[in-house]
Amino acid sequence: MATSYIVIAIVIAYMAIMLFIGWYSKNMISSNKDFMVAGRRLGPILMAGTLAATEIGGGSSLGVVQQGMDKFGISAAWYVITMGFAFVILTFLAPKFRASTVKTVPEYFRRRYGKVPGFITAVIMFLPLIGLTAGQMIASAVILSTMIGVSFQIAVIAICVIVTAYSVMGGLWSVTLTDFIQVFFIIFGMAVAIPYAFDLAGGWQNIVNNVPPETFDLFHGYDVLDIISLTIMYITTFTVGQEAVSRYYAARDGKAAQQGSVLAAIINFVYGFIPAILGVSVLALINMGSFDASLFSEVGSRYALPVLAVHAMPPVVCGILFAGVISATMSSASSDLLGAGSIFANDIYRQFIKPEATDDEVMKIARLIMVLSGLLSLMVALFNTSSIIAILMFSFSLRAAGAFFPYVLGLYWKGSSFAGTIASLICGTIVVVYVEHISHGLLFGIKIGQPILPGLVAGLISFIVFSKLFPPKEATTQLAPDEHES
């Protein structure tokens, strides 16, 4: 599909700016703490921007447009709105997150429960980050391949190189600064597409007249149970997901962490309906005959937004939209890569491979692992045919089910123990894998749907039971000191 050189120039200029920020940010890195948690100096505005940009990714842009034009209609907005619910609830935990003064989630587990839980958590957290990064690369490549007419494979490789480069150079500082710019690109770029979609369809009433009535039912695609499940999934995965909770660790204090969380929630509430409306608009245009459904036959409905942009918008606006969607996906991919590098370097390499490693050595290893993780994510993106949202939701569930309760209850309950944590990590993870890949949504013959709920129940029960049977030697919520903290 041919696209204007103006569009290509706008997106290339945008990506060049991201690379420049990565290069500039490397001058702000003088320690391991700077690289992983931005020196714990983020105020509420920067924190809100990076938190929102990190979580508004491929699933929240292309994925929601895809759902909106398929069978979910306007209710696809719940995928994003429930993120806002989660950020509101996490506002109450934000000061605790910041007060722990850890750099990674596995570091919390290690200092709270011991080296073995820290290692298990590191593995459970590290592997899903590959799937999460791959999901964002897929979404970015969809835009690039549509925009310049190259193959999806070449587009994925280009995105992998750019995201990895600026993430590796500046760590969380570069990711935060790029996120701050990207969150505005995301919202403005997507919102500006709406009036052009309406114009192409001949107005909102024409859209309404050319889609099924249930398209505008807020509970048609997602019912109340689905909304509750999504909210729980986001609360749990944002709590233990390195790419999200690291923003709370990086806040300058507990108050900034709370304020940033509230602002991020507001951003999600504002943004939520934008991609859903665009998806409904594409469905109407197909039903009206303005778009041929065969446009999506080879590559699927995930191309709905790019096809709409190319057909409906002038080159400058189209370029802004493409830059906005690439912003969404690149910001999430860079955060996932940084999370993978930080966890491996801080919680595997320094703890089990070379305990005497210096800060400089740890940063070098983190950067190396980020490059390798980018390559692994590239392989997943090239060969995985699942939908973007399917990849993301399984990755979210896998890492959260067993880790959530040992983390959150460990902040408050002095009876949390080593045995309870190990049991929760093992049982929660096994149940998620079983429901997702073995029983295919069934548990004891009952249709479960998303694996996060049974995984959390298994994790909670095993955590409480084993903590009671094998209580800690010392009843405390205090963390052991970090021998490497400078």
Side-chain angles (χ1 to χ4, degrees):
M1 187 181 302
T3 308
S4 165
Y5 288 116
I6 296 175
V7 176
I8 298 173
I10 290 173
V11 176
I12 289 175
Y14 158 77
M15 291 191 288
I17 291 170
M18 297 299 103
L19 287 172
F20 172 77
I21 292 174
W23 172 83
Y24 174 80
S25 299
K26 70 179 182 180
N27 299 318
M28 306 172 74
I29 305 298
S30 61
S31 70
N32 192 24
K33 186 167 70 174
D34 285 337
F35 187 80
M36 294 184 183
V37 289
R40 305 194 201 278
R41 289 175 283 182
L42 298 187
I45 301 298
L46 274 179
M47 185 191 155
T50 186
L51 195 58
T54 294
E55 300 307 338
I56 296 176
S60 308
S61 52
L62 293 185
V64 174
V65 175
Q66 176 181 346
Q67 286 191 336
M69 73 163 285
D70 285 343
K71 60 181 180 179
F72 286 80
I74 206 71
S75 74
W78 287 115
Y79 184 82
V80 180
I81 294 171
T82 48
M83 290 185 193
F85 294 161
F87 285 138
V88 170
I89 293 169
L90 290 182
T91 299
F92 300 99
L93 293 173
K96 283 282 189 181
F97 293 154
R98 175 60 182 85
S100 66
T101 64
V102 298
K103 293 182 287 295
T104 65
V105 175
E107 180 183 335
Y108 172 87
F109 275 77
R110 182 178 71 251
R111 292 169 58 188
R112 179 71 171 85
Y113 300 112
K115 278 203 166 187
V116 174
F119 177 77
I120 294 174
T121 309
V123 173
I124 291 173
M125 300 293 166
F126 177 79
L127 294 177
L129 286 168
I130 305 300
L132 291 172
T133 305
Q136 307 307 336
M137 287 183 177
I138 290 170
S140 295
V142 164
I143 293 295
L144 273 187
S145 61
T146 303
M147 178 186 67
I148 61 179
V150 300
S151 70
F152 174 79
Q153 290 76 13
I154 292 175
V156 168
I157 293 169
I159 290 295
C160 177
V161 171
I162 293 168
V163 170
T164 303
Y166 80 72
S167 304
V168 165
M169 283 189 283
L172 189 58
W173 269 121
S174 69
V175 171
T176 296
L177 294 176
T178 53
D179 281 355
F180 187 72
I181 295 171
Q182 287 165 335
V183 75
F184 293 105
F185 261 98
I186 294 164
I187 296 174
F188 179 74
M190 295 286 282
V192 77
I194 291 178
Y196 288 96
F198 287 1
D199 184 63
L200 186 63
W204 174 249
Q205 193 57 50
N206 269 358
I207 292 175
V208 173
N209 294 338
N210 284 278
V211 295
E214 63 269 19
T215 302
F216 299 101
D217 182 350
L218 269 175
F219 302 99
H220 172 63
Y222 288 109
D223 58 25
V224 174
L225 181 60
D226 291 327
I227 293 167
I228 294 172
S229 297
L230 272 175
T231 303
I232 291 172
M233 181 188 74
Y234 286 134
I235 292 170
T236 55
T237 196
F238 292 174
T239 298
V240 300
Q242 181 65 24
E243 80 289 343
V245 78
S246 61
R247 273 59 179 172
Y248 294 99
Y249 299 158
R252 67 185 176 211
D253 53 36
K255 184 177 180 181
Q258 284 186 310
Q259 292 171 335
S261 194
V262 169
L263 290 173
I266 293 171
I267 291 171
N268 276 270
F269 294 149
V270 170
Y271 176 77
F273 286 100
I274 295 174
I277 290 172
L278 290 172
V280 171
S281 300
V282 173
L283 175 61
L285 288 164
I286 292 173
N287 291 341
M288 293 165 62
S290 299
F291 285 167
D292 187 340
S294 65
L295 284 170
F296 312 106
S297 61
E298 292 185 4
V299 292
S301 54
R302 67 187 184 187
Y303 274 70
L305 183 58
V307 169
L308 171 65
V310 170
H311 283 80
M313 301 174 194
V316 172
V317 177
C318 188
I320 292 172
L321 172 64
F322 282 169
V325 179
I326 292 175
S327 290
T329 54
M330 288 175 63
S331 63
S332 298
S334 62
S335 296
D336 295 332
L337 279 181
L338 178 61
S342 298
I343 287 173
F344 186 92
N346 191 63
D347 304 297
I348 297 177
Y349 180 78
R350 193 170 221 174
Q351 298 304 317
F352 299 97
I353 299 174
K354 192 177 181 182
E356 71 279 9
T358 65
D359 260 14
D360 187 56
E361 290 175 312
V362 171
M363 279 193 289
K364 287 179 179 177
I365 291 298
R367 286 176 163 131
L368 173 63
I369 294 302
M370 289 168 72
V371 172
L372 295 177
S373 297
L375 293 174
L376 282 173
S377 300
L378 175 63
M379 294 301 104
V380 175
L382 287 173
F383 298 108
N384 193 301
T385 57
S386 301
S387 77
I388 298 167
I389 287 181
I391 295 172
L392 300 184
M393 291 181 76
F394 175 66
S395 297
F396 288 154
S397 300
L398 179 65
R399 70 181 181 185
F404 177 73
F405 288 109
Y407 190 4
V408 173
L409 294 183
L411 296 169
Y412 301 96
W413 182 33
K414 294 180 178 180
S416 303
S417 76
F418 170 91
T421 300
I422 294 294
S424 180
L425 290 171
I426 293 173
C427 293
T429 302
I430 287 174
V431 168
V432 166
V433 173
Y434 175 80
V435 172
E436 179 76 14
H437 290 293
I438 299 176
S439 71
H440 302 292
L442 294 175
L443 192 63
F444 305 118
I446 302 172
K447 183 69 175 177
I448 297 297
Q450 294 302 322
I452 185 66
L453 292 180
L456 284 170
V457 170
L460 176 60
I461 293 172
S462 55
F463 179 64
I464 298 294
V465 169
F466 278 82
S467 288
K468 289 290 188 181
L469 291 175
F470 305 97
K473 294 180 181 179
E474 181 183 359
T476 180
T477 59
Q478 296 299 309
L479 303 185
D482 179 13
E483 65 273 20
H484 298 296
E485 184 67 42
S486 55

